[in-house]
Amino acid sequence: MEEKKNPKHCGACLTKLPIFKSLSEEQFDLVNQIRCRVKFRPGEVIFKQGTAMTHIIVVNEGLVKIYLEGINNRNLLLRFARPVTIIGGPGFFTDFRNHVTTMAVEETSACFIDINTLSELIKVNKDFSADLLKWVNTHTINNYRKLIELTQKGMHGRIAGALLYLSEEVFNERNGDIPIKRQDLADLTAMSKESAIRILKEFKDEHIITVEGNTIIINNKQKLAQISTTG
Amino acid sequence: MEEKKNPKHCGACLTKLPIFKSLSEEQFDLVNQIRCRVKFRPGEVIFKQGTAMTHIIVVNEGLVKIYLEGINNRNLLLRFARPVTIIGGPGFFTDFRNHVTTMAVEETSACFIDINTLSELIKVNKDFSADLLKWVNTHTINNYRKLIELTQKGMHGRIAGALLYLSEEVFNERNGDIPIKRQDLADLTAMSKESAIRILKEFKDEHIITVEGNTIIINNKQKLAQISTTG
DNA sequence: AAAAATCGTTGATAAATATCAATTAATTAT
DNA sequence: ATAATTAATTGATATTTATCAACGATTTTT
């Protein structure tokens, strides 16, 4: 975990975040001043569930996963996040704790912005808090979808949906191949690792996907979409 | 569905809502002006998932349930709400649609407040939007809990947890007896109605609960709490 | 009050899913 | 490179949970 202070101006980064667009130049400079950029290696925890929420981050480079630490050392993977994304959490304005764990999956660099500064901005800038509200509500909609996905679909449908999500939203810059750990896929679909592997094998036998070591290649996206909704 | 306009001043009602405490007298009066009180009979839908979100409500009397309409006519019951509670939804500031269905369980009366008025208040009143953010984040924390509860606990633990929730947070003004439909209990715990009934029977045989027709009486809260966490 | 509809219950069975154990492949550290 | 560790895979089996069907009880409607 290597720490650098403001290696470059963060304008390029923040302008990509709709949520920061409503900041005035002055407010924006403030964020630029106080931010602190840190690098993480794969597997390193950025925020740990249960700890005090002192900062939010903006992911600049790499890939992180966000998950709930549940019962009996089982995790529930909520989502992955690519640059440029702001990672906050529901502890904001409530108990100021981290309710999820955030971990670097690839080599990742992120800017830390402290909660107090953020709170100031919200108090001063109405548009900003409206944007934040919108952002939080978007997540709630996703959580609702996830609740239905995980409680009302069988394993085939869940794996199919997960593969589509990974290919379209996480690894979309690759040629449709998905490098994912089996345990992560299992955590994403709330099943055992062995079950996830078995479904993958079925898909492989039906030529819907090709598996080459760690990476999964989607051959028949249509079919996956159909399995995701039907089965 | 019977409609009355401002049968009485809503001060008593709104002061009970922390979220409305930050309103100025003027803003508060505005809400009082535009609000519209409506009565619902058990089983009547107040908001239907998928429709445009034109209002929020404040539940004054009765009991409502809030659920997701999922796959194959299966519902996922998110929570019940008692007076005095504000019922909004994640459509606010996003797509302005209802993402959940809200239904009266007992005879219920609720005040409708239109979205535009609410939006105005948010733009004018910073504290109000901060409160709203806090409120939404609280719900997100609950959704996370629910995700773990439903995906990582067995049926016994889920039913135990649901009974505790119902007794402590929904029917807490009764002497510990819970009048609930079996289907609602099943929807709350994401299992089939038959399975829910079977778990209830097991609890009954172990004298943890007593079942008298529609109502469930908790005899051993400790044991339920233990089952909820352990099993 | 009778009929119709809904709700609760139970048993038998099938389907879905997890667990355990063993083995092989891949990755990381020495 | 070689050893040590971690990850992927597979089979056998047990557990969990749903489905289907039947029936009795309750509530609602006519």
Side-chain angles (χ1 to χ4, degrees):
Chain A
M1 188 170 10
E2 167 195 330
E3 191 173 323
K4 274 191 262 180
K5 194 131 193 183
N6 303 337
K8 58 184 174 184
H9 193 280
C10 57
C13 179
L14 291 197
T15 48
K16 284 185 196 157
L17 288 170
I19 205 166
F20 275 124
K21 290 227 175 90
S22 45
L23 294 182
S24 71
E25 196 170 339
E26 191 185 0
Q27 292 164 347
F28 183 79
D29 284 346
L30 174 65
V31 170
N32 191 33
Q33 281 291 319
I34 58 98
R35 88 188 207 279
C36 197
R37 188 170 169 145
V38 183
K39 258 190 169 177
F40 293 90
R41 315 264 248 92
E44 285 188 327
V45 168
I46 301 174
F47 294 131
K48 169 77 177 177
Q49 182 174 325
T51 61
M53 183 189 189
T54 58
H55 296 75
I56 64 158
I57 55 170
V58 175
V59 176
N60 304 299
E61 283 175 37
L63 177 66
V64 302
K65 64 179 175 185
I66 295 155
Y67 60 92
L68 295 169
E69 302 189 28
I71 299 166
N72 285 135
N73 296 317
R74 285 181 63 190
N75 298 326
L76 183 63
L77 210 167
L78 294 172
R79 61 196 174 91
F80 288 88
R82 280 278 184 207
V84 181
T85 316
I86 188 170
I87 311 251
F92 195 57
F93 272 135
T94 58
D95 59 0
F96 289 98
R97 306 206 149 266
N98 288 306
H99 290 264
V100 293
T101 293
T102 304
M103 180 187 278
V105 177
E106 301 171 0
E107 183 135 317
T108 295
S109 89
C111 284
F112 282 66
I113 300 167
D114 83 286
I115 288 291
N116 294 327
T117 306
L118 201 68
S119 299
E120 288 303 316
L121 290 178
I122 287 168
K123 280 180 193 153
V124 176
N125 189 325
K126 304 163 214 162
D127 292 332
F128 185 65
S129 61
D131 286 349
L132 215 52
L133 208 48
K134 179 176 178 174
W135 185 70
V136 173
N137 276 342
T138 304
H139 277 293
T140 299
I141 294 172
N142 282 331
N143 288 335
Y144 285 169
R145 206 202 329 268
K146 194 132 189 108
L147 270 165
I148 293 297
E149 184 91 9
L150 296 182
T151 61
Q152 301 192 347
K153 282 188 182 175
M155 295 196 299
H156 294 82
R158 303 212 296 275
I159 292 283
L163 291 179
L164 289 173
Y165 163 71
L166 291 168
S167 120
E168 284 165 12
E169 316 213 6
V170 183
F171 299 107
N172 49 344
E173 307 220 338
R174 304 174 66 111
N175 319 321
D177 61 323
I178 305 166
I180 191 167
K181 295 249 173 78
R182 299 302 180 261
Q183 188 62 59
D184 280 346
L185 188 60
D187 290 347
L188 191 58
T189 50
M191 67 183 75
S192 72
K193 186 174 57 161
E194 293 94 327
S195 290
I197 288 170
R198 279 184 182 105
I199 308 291
L200 283 181
K201 199 194 172 198
E202 281 186 50
F203 288 176
K204 194 173 68 172
D205 290 346
E206 298 171 55
H207 306 291
I208 300 169
I209 61 172
T210 305
V211 178
E212 279 176 12
N214 218 333
T215 76
I216 299 163
I217 297 149
I218 296 181
N219 300 324
N220 194 340
K221 188 174 272 197
Q222 312 269 236
K223 186 75 185 169
L224 276 186
Q226 184 223 310
I227 293 171
S228 171
T229 50
T230 310
Chain B
M1 190 170 9
E2 168 195 329
E3 191 173 324
K4 274 191 262 180
K5 194 134 193 181
N6 303 338
K8 57 183 175 186
H9 193 279
C10 56
C13 180
L14 292 197
T15 48
K16 283 185 196 157
L17 289 170
I19 206 166
F20 275 124
K21 289 227 174 90
S22 46
L23 294 182
S24 72
E25 197 170 338
E26 192 184 359
Q27 291 164 347
F28 183 79
D29 284 346
L30 174 65
V31 170
N32 190 33
Q33 280 292 320
I34 58 97
R35 88 186 207 281
C36 198
R37 187 170 170 144
V38 183
K39 257 190 170 177
F40 293 90
R41 314 262 249 94
E44 285 187 328
V45 168
I46 302 174
F47 294 131
K48 169 77 178 177
Q49 183 175 325
T51 61
M53 183 188 189
T54 58
H55 295 76
I56 63 158
I57 56 170
V58 175
V59 176
N60 303 300
E61 283 175 36
L63 178 67
V64 303
K65 66 178 175 184
I66 296 155
Y67 60 92
L68 295 169
E69 302 188 28
I71 299 165
N72 284 135
N73 297 316
R74 286 181 61 190
N75 298 326
L76 183 63
L77 211 167
L78 293 173
R79 61 195 175 92
F80 288 88
R82 281 276 183 210
V84 181
T85 316
I86 188 170
I87 311 250
F92 196 59
F93 272 135
T94 58
D95 58 1
F96 289 98
R97 305 207 149 266
N98 289 305
H99 290 264
V100 293
T101 293
T102 305
M103 181 187 278
V105 176
E106 301 172 359
E107 182 134 318
T108 295
S109 90
C111 283
F112 283 66
I113 300 167
D114 83 286
I115 288 292
N116 294 327
T117 306
L118 202 67
S119 300
E120 289 304 314
L121 290 179
I122 287 168
K123 280 179 194 155
V124 176
N125 189 325
K126 305 164 214 161
D127 293 331
F128 186 64
S129 61
D131 286 348
L132 215 52
L133 208 48
K134 178 176 178 174
W135 185 70
V136 174
N137 276 342
T138 304
H139 276 293
T140 299
I141 293 171
N142 282 330
N143 288 334
Y144 285 170
R145 206 202 330 269
K146 195 133 188 107
L147 270 166
I148 293 297
E149 183 92 9
L150 296 182
T151 61
Q152 301 193 347
K153 282 188 184 176
M155 295 196 299
H156 293 82
R158 303 212 296 276
I159 291 284
L163 291 179
L164 290 172
Y165 163 71
L166 291 168
S167 118
E168 284 165 12
E169 316 213 4
V170 184
F171 299 107
N172 49 343
E173 308 220 337
R174 305 175 67 111
N175 319 321
D177 61 323
I178 305 166
I180 192 167
K181 295 248 173 80
R182 299 304 180 259
Q183 189 62 59
D184 279 346
L185 188 59
D187 290 348
L188 191 58
T189 49
M191 68 183 74
S192 71
K193 186 175 57 160
E194 293 94 327
S195 290
I197 288 170
R198 279 184 183 106
I199 308 291
L200 283 181
K201 199 194 172 196
E202 282 187 50
F203 287 174
K204 194 174 67 172
D205 290 346
E206 299 171 54
H207 307 290
I208 300 169
I209 61 172
T210 305
V211 178
E212 279 176 12
N214 217 333
T215 75
I216 299 164
I217 297 148
I218 295 182
N219 300 325
N220 193 341
K221 189 174 272 196
Q222 311 269 237
K223 186 76 186 170
L224 276 187
Q226 184 224 310
I227 293 171
S228 170
T229 50
T230 309

